[in-house]
Amino acid sequence: MEFFEVRGGKPLQGTVAIHSAKNAVLPIMAASILADGQVTIMDCPRIADADNMLDIVRTLGCRAERVGENAVIDTAGMQDWVMPEALAKKLRSSIFMMGPILGRFRKATVTHPGGCEIGLRPINLHLNGLRAMGVTFHEEGGLIHCDGSGMRGGEIHFDYPSVGATENVMMAAVLTPGTTWIHNAAREPEIVDLQRFMNAMGAKVSGAGTHSIHIEGVQKLRGVNYRPIPDRIVAGTLLAAAAITGGEITLDNAHAGDLVAVISKLRDMGCEIRHGLTNINLRAPKRLRSFGQLQTLPYPGFPTDMQVQMLALSIKAMGTTVITENVFENRFAHAGDFNRMGADIVLHDRTAVIRGVEKLHGASVVARDLRGGAGLVLAGLAAEGTTIVERVDLIDRGYAALEQMLASLGADIRRLCDTA
């Protein structure tokens, strides 16, 4: 089992480029199976979730492979609509395959998806959205059998602006006759990127980034070469790493406009931030100050995927910070690990109260999910002594060699293997 060994106390300095966004690449991979022809996804990050999605697409009969820094998907041999259960349970985003498989074959067999244990994340919104388009479902033996023989354009209103459900319905609708409206749609930048990708293939989608998305079904989509947007969560994590170490870094291939909520909190903590169209520079003070309060909310609110990183910053900040998690109920699973490093965190249901301390000390901690693991690495960068972060396989789900990115900025971090 691999782990990170982190020796703290070194301010990060330098420049690093941000890879394409995990949360954009995965639905784009899923939507690729709608094309008649070859899709090339440029700058496809070498993360575990992308590799698992390529495996899923491959088992459906597509040619799916990495060619240099790109991923190539060719649907010429695709003939299967049954999702591989073992692979689906590795990856929460496997649920994205339901919409495009239905769009292509008008039938699908899928399983409940896996992924990080950060909350219940039921798929009822996905199913309800597809029902409004005429899809019927029945469950048997843990599998969900989907019948889309009566699929048509429909009008969907989500009770909650779910990113995955919005994307699933978008992908199901582009090859479905008629007009589909999605109301109370998720507004994340990755939704806009999916629209941009499918329109490049010949789809007719508009409104992404607003509360209502309009889709006119077309008969055919073509292959395309496409570069997804940069990963705003990776960018935010690296900015937080510089902030917690008192460093100064510049991010290339980073969009500040997708990080407004995060940048605002970092400025509240005393960081100086400048940015251009595709770069962000952060200079941190010697010691951060508390930003007061934070609540996670759907975009454009504060992203839940950056909550634990901001909690890590709050541990050493001057003053008291209150963080409320409104999206996933298990996002504070790492509080005990942070406290083991000397933090002062008290939990009350979905709220964490953090009293800043002057020093953290290294400890042996365990990642329990993707973002929580990244938060533990940040704490290790600021701690005295050595921190061991186990279960780096979870971190690898969303960060392409996080230790290499941090080491390029001067961090003392190594990936090691426990041979015991």
Side-chain angles (χ1 to χ4, degrees), residues 389-411:
V389 182
E390 299 180 27
R391 290 300 310 272
V392 299
D393 57 298
L394 293 174
I395 300 172
D396 290 339
R397 289 188 51 238
Y399 297 88
L402 177 61
E403 79 282 7
Q404 293 179 22
M405 286 189 281
L406 292 171
S408 74
L409 297 170

mmCIF file of all heavy atoms in Angstrom, residues 389-411:
data_model
loop_
_atom_site.group_PDB
_atom_site.id
_atom_site.type_symbol
_atom_site.label_atom_id
_atom_site.label_comp_id
_atom_site.label_asym_id
_atom_site.label_seq_id
_atom_site.Cartn_x
_atom_site.Cartn_y
_atom_site.Cartn_z
ATOM 1 N N VAL A 389 0.621 10.032 5.397
ATOM 2 C CA VAL A 389 -0.765 10.018 4.910
ATOM 3 C C VAL A 389 -0.986 8.710 4.157
ATOM 4 O O VAL A 389 -0.407 8.493 3.086
ATOM 5 C CB VAL A 389 -1.071 11.217 3.994
ATOM 6 C CG1 VAL A 389 -2.529 11.184 3.555
ATOM 7 C CG2 VAL A 389 -0.755 12.534 4.698
ATOM 8 N N GLU A 390 -1.796 7.837 4.726
ATOM 9 C CA GLU A 390 -2.090 6.552 4.104
ATOM 10 C C GLU A 390 -3.303 6.658 3.179
ATOM 11 O O GLU A 390 -4.019 7.633 3.185
ATOM 12 C CB GLU A 390 -2.338 5.502 5.189
ATOM 13 C CG GLU A 390 -1.138 5.277 6.105
ATOM 14 C CD GLU A 390 -1.404 4.231 7.165
ATOM 15 O OE1 GLU A 390 -2.252 3.336 6.933
ATOM 16 O OE2 GLU A 390 -0.786 4.309 8.245
ATOM 17 N N ARG A 391 -3.510 5.606 2.380
ATOM 18 C CA ARG A 391 -4.593 5.511 1.378
ATOM 19 C C ARG A 391 -4.485 6.598 0.318
ATOM 20 O O ARG A 391 -5.468 7.256 -0.033
ATOM 21 C CB ARG A 391 -5.978 5.566 2.040
ATOM 22 C CG ARG A 391 -6.371 4.346 2.852
ATOM 23 C CD ARG A 391 -6.408 3.061 2.041
ATOM 24 N NE ARG A 391 -7.165 3.143 0.799
ATOM 25 C CZ ARG A 391 -8.473 2.907 0.705
ATOM 26 N NH1 ARG A 391 -9.160 2.585 1.793
ATOM 27 N NH2 ARG A 391 -9.094 2.967 -0.465
ATOM 28 N N VAL A 392 -3.291 6.766 -0.231
ATOM 29 C CA VAL A 392 -3.129 7.777 -1.285
ATOM 30 C C VAL A 392 -3.852 7.366 -2.566
ATOM 31 O O VAL A 392 -4.021 8.194 -3.465
ATOM 32 C CB VAL A 392 -1.645 8.070 -1.579
ATOM 33 C CG1 VAL A 392 -0.949 8.616 -0.354
ATOM 34 C CG2 VAL A 392 -0.932 6.843 -2.101
ATOM 35 N N ASP A 393 -4.284 6.097 -2.653
ATOM 36 C CA ASP A 393 -5.054 5.696 -3.831
ATOM 37 C C ASP A 393 -6.329 6.520 -3.960
ATOM 38 O O ASP A 393 -6.805 6.775 -5.073
ATOM 39 C CB ASP A 393 -5.389 4.203 -3.763
ATOM 40 C CG ASP A 393 -6.162 3.831 -2.502
ATOM 41 O OD1 ASP A 393 -5.613 4.008 -1.400
ATOM 42 O OD2 ASP A 393 -7.309 3.349 -2.616
ATOM 43 N N LEU A 394 -6.886 6.954 -2.819
ATOM 44 C CA LEU A 394 -8.069 7.816 -2.864
ATOM 45 C C LEU A 394 -7.724 9.200 -3.402
ATOM 46 O O LEU A 394 -8.494 9.795 -4.163
ATOM 47 C CB LEU A 394 -8.693 7.918 -1.473
ATOM 48 C CG LEU A 394 -9.303 6.619 -0.922
ATOM 49 C CD1 LEU A 394 -9.751 6.809 0.524
ATOM 50 C CD2 LEU A 394 -10.471 6.163 -1.786
ATOM 51 N N ILE A 395 -6.574 9.714 -3.008
ATOM 52 C CA ILE A 395 -6.128 11.021 -3.504
ATOM 53 C C ILE A 395 -5.858 10.955 -5.011
ATOM 54 O O ILE A 395 -6.152 11.900 -5.758
ATOM 55 C CB ILE A 395 -4.878 11.484 -2.736
ATOM 56 C CG1 ILE A 395 -5.190 11.604 -1.235
ATOM 57 C CG2 ILE A 395 -4.354 12.818 -3.280
ATOM 58 C CD1 ILE A 395 -3.985 11.877 -0.361
ATOM 59 N N ASP A 396 -5.336 9.819 -5.462
ATOM 60 C CA ASP A 396 -5.040 9.639 -6.885
ATOM 61 C C ASP A 396 -6.291 9.652 -7.748
ATOM 62 O O ASP A 396 -6.191 9.778 -8.970
ATOM 63 C CB ASP A 396 -4.306 8.306 -7.102
ATOM 64 C CG ASP A 396 -2.890 8.313 -6.554
ATOM 65 O OD1 ASP A 396 -2.329 9.411 -6.364
ATOM 66 O OD2 ASP A 396 -2.346 7.216 -6.317
ATOM 67 N N ARG A 397 -7.456 9.546 -7.152
ATOM 68 C CA ARG A 397 -8.696 9.580 -7.925
ATOM 69 C C ARG A 397 -8.908 10.935 -8.597
ATOM 70 O O ARG A 397 -9.568 11.021 -9.635
ATOM 71 C CB ARG A 397 -9.900 9.259 -7.036
ATOM 72 C CG ARG A 397 -9.997 7.807 -6.590
ATOM 73 C CD ARG A 397 -11.302 7.534 -5.875
ATOM 74 N NE ARG A 397 -12.396 8.004 -6.687
ATOM 75 C CZ ARG A 397 -13.298 8.900 -6.291
ATOM 76 N NH1 ARG A 397 -13.239 9.424 -5.081
ATOM 77 N NH2 ARG A 397 -14.269 9.286 -7.092
ATOM 78 N N GLY A 398 -8.349 12.002 -8.015
ATOM 79 C CA GLY A 398 -8.626 13.327 -8.555
ATOM 80 C C GLY A 398 -7.422 14.219 -8.776
ATOM 81 O O GLY A 398 -7.564 15.304 -9.342
ATOM 82 N N TYR A 399 -6.246 13.789 -8.310
ATOM 83 C CA TYR A 399 -5.030 14.596 -8.471
ATOM 84 C C TYR A 399 -4.000 13.762 -9.223
ATOM 85 O O TYR A 399 -3.668 12.650 -8.797
ATOM 86 C CB TYR A 399 -4.456 15.010 -7.116
ATOM 87 C CG TYR A 399 -5.375 15.889 -6.305
ATOM 88 C CD1 TYR A 399 -6.331 15.339 -5.451
ATOM 89 C CD2 TYR A 399 -5.284 17.278 -6.391
ATOM 90 C CE1 TYR A 399 -7.179 16.139 -4.698
ATOM 91 C CE2 TYR A 399 -6.124 18.095 -5.643
ATOM 92 C CZ TYR A 399 -7.069 17.514 -4.795
ATOM 93 O OH TYR A 399 -7.904 18.321 -4.060
ATOM 94 N N ALA A 400 -3.507 14.278 -10.341
ATOM 95 C CA ALA A 400 -2.496 13.575 -11.124
ATOM 96 C C ALA A 400 -1.133 13.784 -10.462
ATOM 97 O O ALA A 400 -0.519 14.840 -10.610
ATOM 98 C CB ALA A 400 -2.482 14.081 -12.555
ATOM 99 N N ALA A 401 -0.694 12.790 -9.689
ATOM 100 C CA ALA A 401 0.605 12.850 -9.003
ATOM 101 C C ALA A 401 0.718 14.123 -8.157
ATOM 102 O O ALA A 401 1.571 14.978 -8.404
ATOM 103 C CB ALA A 401 1.751 12.751 -9.997
ATOM 104 N N LEU A 402 -0.137 14.244 -7.150
ATOM 105 C CA LEU A 402 -0.136 15.422 -6.288
ATOM 106 C C LEU A 402 1.235 15.667 -5.689
ATOM 107 O O LEU A 402 1.688 16.816 -5.576
ATOM 108 C CB LEU A 402 -1.176 15.251 -5.172
ATOM 109 C CG LEU A 402 -1.257 16.375 -4.137
ATOM 110 C CD1 LEU A 402 -1.632 17.699 -4.791
ATOM 111 C CD2 LEU A 402 -2.258 16.023 -3.030
ATOM 112 N N GLU A 403 1.928 14.590 -5.320
ATOM 113 C CA GLU A 403 3.239 14.766 -4.683
ATOM 114 C C GLU A 403 4.237 15.401 -5.636
ATOM 115 O O GLU A 403 5.112 16.181 -5.212
ATOM 116 C CB GLU A 403 3.758 13.432 -4.141
ATOM 117 C CG GLU A 403 4.375 12.483 -5.142
ATOM 118 C CD GLU A 403 3.360 11.726 -5.986
ATOM 119 O OE1 GLU A 403 2.145 12.018 -5.893
ATOM 120 O OE2 GLU A 403 3.782 10.832 -6.750
ATOM 121 N N GLN A 404 4.126 15.120 -6.930
ATOM 122 C CA GLN A 404 5.053 15.720 -7.890
ATOM 123 C C GLN A 404 4.757 17.204 -8.088
ATOM 124 O O GLN A 404 5.680 18.020 -8.208
ATOM 125 C CB GLN A 404 4.975 14.973 -9.219
ATOM 126 C CG GLN A 404 5.492 13.542 -9.153
ATOM 127 C CD GLN A 404 5.385 12.820 -10.483
ATOM 128 O OE1 GLN A 404 5.316 13.441 -11.541
ATOM 129 N NE2 GLN A 404 5.371 11.491 -10.446
ATOM 130 N N MET A 405 3.468 17.561 -8.131
ATOM 131 C CA MET A 405 3.120 18.979 -8.238
ATOM 132 C C MET A 405 3.659 19.758 -7.043
ATOM 133 O O MET A 405 4.239 20.844 -7.199
ATOM 134 C CB MET A 405 1.603 19.138 -8.345
ATOM 135 C CG MET A 405 1.022 18.751 -9.682
ATOM 136 S SD MET A 405 -0.733 19.204 -9.852
ATOM 137 C CE MET A 405 -1.510 17.870 -8.933
ATOM 138 N N LEU A 406 3.466 19.210 -5.845
ATOM 139 C CA LEU A 406 3.918 19.904 -4.638
ATOM 140 C C LEU A 406 5.441 19.934 -4.555
ATOM 141 O O LEU A 406 6.032 20.958 -4.177
ATOM 142 C CB LEU A 406 3.327 19.222 -3.405
ATOM 143 C CG LEU A 406 1.806 19.367 -3.245
ATOM 144 C CD1 LEU A 406 1.301 18.473 -2.117
ATOM 145 C CD2 LEU A 406 1.421 20.814 -2.975
ATOM 146 N N ALA A 407 6.093 18.830 -4.924
ATOM 147 C CA ALA A 407 7.556 18.800 -4.879
ATOM 148 C C ALA A 407 8.158 19.805 -5.855
ATOM 149 O O ALA A 407 9.208 20.408 -5.571
ATOM 150 C CB ALA A 407 8.055 17.392 -5.184
ATOM 151 N N SER A 408 7.499 20.023 -6.996
ATOM 152 C CA SER A 408 8.007 21.003 -7.963
ATOM 153 C C SER A 408 7.960 22.418 -7.406
ATOM 154 O O SER A 408 8.646 23.310 -7.913
ATOM 155 C CB SER A 408 7.202 20.925 -9.266
ATOM 156 O OG SER A 408 5.906 21.492 -9.108
ATOM 157 N N LEU A 409 7.147 22.618 -6.358
ATOM 158 C CA LEU A 409 7.048 23.922 -5.699
ATOM 159 C C LEU A 409 7.895 23.991 -4.433
ATOM 160 O O LEU A 409 7.818 24.974 -3.694
ATOM 161 C CB LEU A 409 5.581 24.211 -5.369
ATOM 162 C CG LEU A 409 4.646 24.332 -6.577
ATOM 163 C CD1 LEU A 409 3.187 24.361 -6.129
ATOM 164 C CD2 LEU A 409 4.968 25.580 -7.394
ATOM 165 N N GLY A 410 8.682 22.953 -4.178
ATOM 166 C CA GLY A 410 9.600 22.978 -3.044
ATOM 167 C C GLY A 410 9.156 22.205 -1.830
ATOM 168 O O GLY A 410 9.860 22.189 -0.806
ATOM 169 N N ALA A 411 8.029 21.517 -1.890
ATOM 170 C CA ALA A 411 7.572 20.732 -0.750
ATOM 171 C C ALA A 411 8.457 19.501 -0.580
ATOM 172 O O ALA A 411 8.981 18.946 -1.549
ATOM 173 C CB ALA A 411 6.118 20.301 -0.935
#
